[in-house]
Amino acid sequence: MAAILKGNPKKRMALVTGRAYPEQAEATAECLGIEPLETTAYDFANGEMYVRYTQPVRGADVFVLQSHTDPINKWIMEQLLMIDALKRASARSITVVAPFLGYSRQDKKGQGREPITARLMFDLFQTAGADRIMTVDLHASQEQGFFDGPVDHLTAMPVLLDYVKNSMPLENATIVSPDAGRIKVSERWAAKLGGLPLAFIHKTRDVTRPNHAVAHGIIGEVRERDCVVVDDMIDTAGTICEAVRTLREAGAKSVTLVATHGLLSGPAIERLKGCGAREIVLMDTVPVPQEKRLPNMTVLSVAPLLAAGIRSVFESGSVSNLMNGLPEDMRPRNMYAA
């Protein structure tokens, strides 16, 4: 179902979704007061995919929402097919909405003869016909330069900040960066929480071994402090659990883990279960099924943030204002992911 929001009455907006996480699209559409456009999609026997829209999209501003979750390569390919179908159906504009952008951590060459896969991802979307890309908390914000067009880089920080403010006392809190690369983000967290102390964990990563890092020490005071570790993603949870162990050994009173993308691959749940964190706070940029949810895990909905971003783009409003928090009409929405 296409929708006309306030602004130019001659403009039409449509939200379409792939099969990776349709519940996310439904929640986002509900925040916008519309319904996702009906799509026919299926697999052939050999694994090839077919996509077709059941309603006209000619002249519409279309937002293509797809979660890059497991199996990640299949869902990226499906999104590319959806973009191509929209281009050939004469959509006015095509915006890729990828709450978690697959391959974004591969943004530079650590060794010779490596690809820069994050750049390839942006190239693939552009070649397929995307005019614009919207995503949440890239691994490195400078990746926006990989796309020759507008990139709306949303951040989950306001949503996560609101939750942390209301869920724990902060008078004894310290914001902890899990490595040197996240210091700037952690500084913003500390500032927005009233100038809290900041610490960071010095660690090294073996580029020849995926999902492997070793913590060597902590810079900053964490003894008898309630530590809040802020990261962009939790994948296999090896490095983040090492951070909890390091902080505990340094005398931290409690450790709260906060991350935008809860990929939770492989042994992640078993590791998190025994790591000793007070609470684990995630966004549902990828689905977090009930069987992976722990008693001390909170999963917040990214739908109001995506809806606010989509509405701002469609109405030619300011997306950067969302850095300061969600619009008033989006805040009462259900903050917890289903």
Side-chain angles (χ1 to χ4, degrees), residues 46 110 115-117 153 199 214 243 278 291:
N46 69 342
I116 302 179
T117 320
H153 187 203
V214 178
R278 184 191 71 87
E291 60 268 23

Side-chain angles (χ1 to χ4, degrees), residues 102-165:
Y103 293 94
S104 65
R105 77 184 93 175
Q106 299 184 47
D107 61 339
K108 58 183 177 296
K109 290 180 66 173
Q111 302 181 94
R113 300 175 299 283
E114 285 184 339
I116 302 179
T117 320
R119 169 61 190 264
L120 176 61
M121 286 290 297
F122 284 102
D123 287 346
L124 287 170
F125 285 129
Q126 190 151 34
T127 300
D131 301 296
R132 190 181 199 105
I133 292 181
M134 181 180 295
T135 188
V136 182
D137 286 340
L138 285 167
H139 188 63
S141 60
Q142 60 266 30
E143 291 177 39
Q144 298 171 74
F146 289 160
F147 187 70
D148 188 17
V151 176
D152 299 301
H153 187 203
L154 307 179
T155 178
M157 184 186 296
V159 180
L160 294 168
L161 274 170
D162 280 349
Y163 178 81
V164 170
K165 285 178 183 176

Side-chain angles (χ1 to χ4, degrees), residues 60 94 109 137 183 186 190 295 306 318:
I94 303 169
K109 290 180 66 173
D137 286 340
I183 288 178
S186 299
L306 296 178
S318 173

Side-chain angles (χ1 to χ4, degrees), residues 212-242:
H212 182 79
V214 178
H216 296 289
I218 301 170
I219 298 175
E221 183 55 50
V222 298
R223 183 171 296 277
E224 295 301 321
R225 305 286 297 179
D226 295 310
C227 295
V228 181
V229 181
V230 181
D231 210 348
D232 62 327
M233 71 173 73
I234 299 178
D235 191 358
T236 60
T239 56
I240 203 74
C241 290
E242 176 77 2

Side-chain angles (χ1 to χ4, degrees), residues 287-318:
V288 183
Q290 289 298 326
E291 60 268 23
K292 288 189 175 183
R293 299 195 185 189
L294 301 173
N296 64 336
M297 183 181 289
T298 301
V299 184
L300 304 178
S301 175
V302 77
L305 177 62
L306 296 178
I310 289 170
R311 186 175 65 186
S312 294
V313 169
F314 179 70
E315 296 178 350
S316 301
S318 173

